[in-house]
Amino acid sequence: MSDVRTCPTCGAKAKYKEKENIITFTAVQDQDAFKKIGQLKKAMDKFKAKAEALEKELLELKLKQ
């Protein structure tokens, strides 16, 4: 994931890069943010599905006892 920091010049959120002791800030574009949000939503959905499956399995194991 990108290193996001506050730009010292304008105070906005920006991608921070340091290459050969040269520091650059690149403004975060809306499309970048939407892409990251989409990735996070997919990851959360996968985690939620796994958690629900584990809860169901745990309930079945408790009922068998």
Side-chain angles (χ1 to χ4, degrees), residues 26-64:
T26 307
V28 175
Q29 301 297 319
D30 287 339
Q31 290 186 0
D32 293 338
F34 288 134
K35 182 179 175 184
K36 293 292 181 186
I37 290 168
Q39 290 173 345
L40 287 171
K41 283 183 178 182
K42 287 179 185 177
M44 289 295 293
D45 287 341
K46 286 181 183 179
F47 176 77
K48 184 179 176 183
K50 285 181 182 180
E52 288 172 353
L54 288 172
E55 283 182 25
K56 183 178 177 182
E57 184 179 343
L58 179 62
L59 183 60
E60 288 174 2
L61 289 173
K62 284 182 178 182
L63 291 175
K64 286 182 182 180

